[in-house]
Amino acid sequence: MKSIYFFCTKPWVYLTELPVLFMLWVAMIFNGQSEEVFKFYPLIIVLSAAVIFIFVYFFRVISISIDEIRYHGLFSSRDSAFIDENKTLLISLKPRLRLGLELYGDAGDVPAFDWMKAEDVKHRDICLFRGKAIGGKRSAARILNFFSVPKEEIVKATNDGFFYEDDALLVKSERKNEVFQISIQFKTTLT
């Protein structure tokens, strides 16, 4: 199944690997000059494992497919939610190339907690998925293109007050405080 991916970790976080890589490089250079039995091989193995661990620990990706939005990564929350009828994907374009992705859905008719009244629950959207990724207007355009919004409408989507509707989608954009938001409401379940 086709998906689009958004990297969540800032690239400068991987600068923490530089001291470990430097120590690994020094250990490999002076390994031949060591007079010990095992030389620097234990240190080389531990430093190599540290480099791999740091990369895997910080690696986080959000994938969006036609029917699901999901976090990927060994140490991520692995949160996921299904995208289907009557749900809204909210794309927030924040300063410094930060992209907020949220999926809202109807709370349903049954109260989630005993103390809630049944009338409190009806027609209230709750957040089913929340994630942050790296991206800006081009990333939002990729999402709109993925959900088959026409290209001429994608160009207009970055303007405040944009509105587009077809049989499957309802797309609106607006500026709230300092954050520009594009909401994609799914009228039907996409296949």
Side-chain angles (χ1 to χ4, degrees):
M1 179 170 287
K2 186 178 174 188
S3 298
I4 54 175
Y5 296 93
F6 298 98
F7 198 58
C8 300
T9 308
K10 303 249 184 204
W12 56 265
V13 170
Y14 287 108
L15 291 176
T16 57
E17 295 229 37
L18 290 179
V20 180
L21 287 170
F22 177 73
M23 289 189 304
L24 178 63
W25 177 70
V26 169
M28 290 174 73
I29 285 177
F30 292 110
N31 190 36
Q33 298 174 6
S34 176
E35 296 175 2
E36 298 293 323
V37 176
F38 294 115
K39 299 193 176 203
F40 292 135
Y41 289 120
L43 179 62
I44 291 172
I45 291 170
V46 168
L47 290 173
S48 299
V51 167
I52 293 169
F53 177 76
I54 291 171
F55 178 79
V56 170
Y57 182 77
F58 288 116
F59 182 78
R60 286 174 180 80
V61 172
I62 294 177
S63 70
I64 300 176
S65 65
I66 292 293
D67 61 347
E68 185 179 35
I69 184 167
R70 171 183 293 265
Y71 256 118
H72 296 278
L74 193 59
F75 292 95
S76 71
S77 65
R78 296 190 193 157
D79 203 9
S80 66
F82 290 107
I83 299 173
D84 51 9
E85 186 175 0
N86 296 327
K87 293 197 177 163
T88 303
L89 179 65
L90 185 66
I91 306 164
S92 301
L93 302 174
K94 299 175 182 179
R96 292 177 292 194
L97 290 176
R98 290 182 302 156
L99 185 72
L101 298 169
E102 298 172 344
L103 184 69
Y104 289 92
D106 191 15
D109 293 333
V110 180
F113 301 105
D114 295 334
W115 53 267
M116 292 177 75
K117 298 177 185 173
E119 60 269 5
D120 291 344
V121 178
K122 288 186 178 180
H123 307 295
R124 184 174 41 177
D125 286 343
I126 58 172
C127 187
L128 303 171
F129 178 89
R130 179 174 287 135
K132 295 177 189 172
I134 298 172
K137 291 181 179 180
R138 288 174 48 190
S139 299
R142 275 182 53 207
I143 296 171
L144 292 172
N145 187 36
F146 181 75
F147 288 115
S148 302
V149 175
K151 292 196 185 293
E152 59 273 359
E153 298 295 330
I154 292 174
V155 175
K156 299 175 195 172
T158 57
N159 298 331
D160 195 11
F162 171 76
F163 182 82
Y164 170 76
E165 185 174 7
D166 64 7
D167 295 338
L169 302 172
L170 174 67
V171 181
K172 294 186 281 186
S173 66
E174 63 181 333
R175 181 170 296 280
K176 287 186 178 177
N177 299 328
E178 286 126 23
V179 178
F180 186 76
Q181 295 179 336
I182 301 171
S183 66
I184 305 170
Q185 183 178 357
F186 299 94
K187 295 183 188 176
T188 62
T189 302
L190 302 176
T191 55

